[in-house]
Amino acid sequence: MKTLFFIAHLFGEVKKDGDWYVSCCPPLDVYSQGKTKEEAINNLIEASTLFIESCIKRGTLDEVLRELGFEAYEKPVRGKERKIPKGTIPIEIPIPLLFNERARGNKCPA
């Protein structure tokens, strides 16, 4: 088995609420919190990663992303990627996948 990682480039927001920092990832509708801004961001990344992993394990990722408003579009030309909304922070969510070569049967003839 080999591990593959995809990185989802999303954005998040962090706001101070009393003694806590509340963080959210609007595209995934995922929220978290922390005692510091950094902790809130790290907790948001962890919560978002667990959300994506859970969807993959249940086989519902495509359906859930469509319900959240995602849609497929043609690959952007390098350098013309969509911009992160102003006032937000960029976050990267690693999406680990295992590739079982035996399950596929044939190997690449190259």
Side-chain angles (χ1 to χ4, degrees):
M1 290 230 202
K2 296 180 181 175
T3 303
L4 305 172
F5 284 94
F6 291 94
I7 302 292
H9 293 269
L10 299 169
F11 62 90
E13 299 173 4
V14 180
K15 295 181 181 171
K16 187 159 175 130
D17 186 11
D19 292 337
W20 290 87
Y21 287 86
V22 178
S23 55
C24 70
C25 178
L28 297 180
D29 197 28
V30 172
Y31 294 80
S32 194
Q33 64 183 11
K35 291 196 178 238
T36 65
K37 184 176 181 178
E38 294 76 22
E39 182 180 27
I41 292 169
N42 289 334
N43 289 343
L44 179 63
I45 292 169
E46 180 180 7
S48 298
T49 300
L50 292 172
F51 173 77
I52 295 289
E53 287 176 356
S54 173
C55 290
I56 290 170
K57 287 177 184 173
R58 292 180 289 131
T60 60
L61 183 61
D62 188 52
E63 177 185 347
V64 168
L65 291 178
R66 269 191 263 116
E67 288 176 4
L68 288 168
F70 285 85
E71 58 186 63
Y73 73 98
E74 290 192 33
K75 182 180 174 184
V77 176
R78 186 165 286 287
K80 296 199 176 204
E81 291 86 3
R82 295 188 180 186
K83 302 289 183 204
I84 299 289
K86 192 173 184 173
T88 61
I89 53 168
I91 58 174
E92 291 185 350
I93 300 171
I95 304 169
L97 299 171
L98 288 177
F99 175 67
N100 185 347
E101 293 173 286
R102 288 184 223 156
R104 194 165 157 229
N106 296 337
K107 292 192 176 194
C108 180

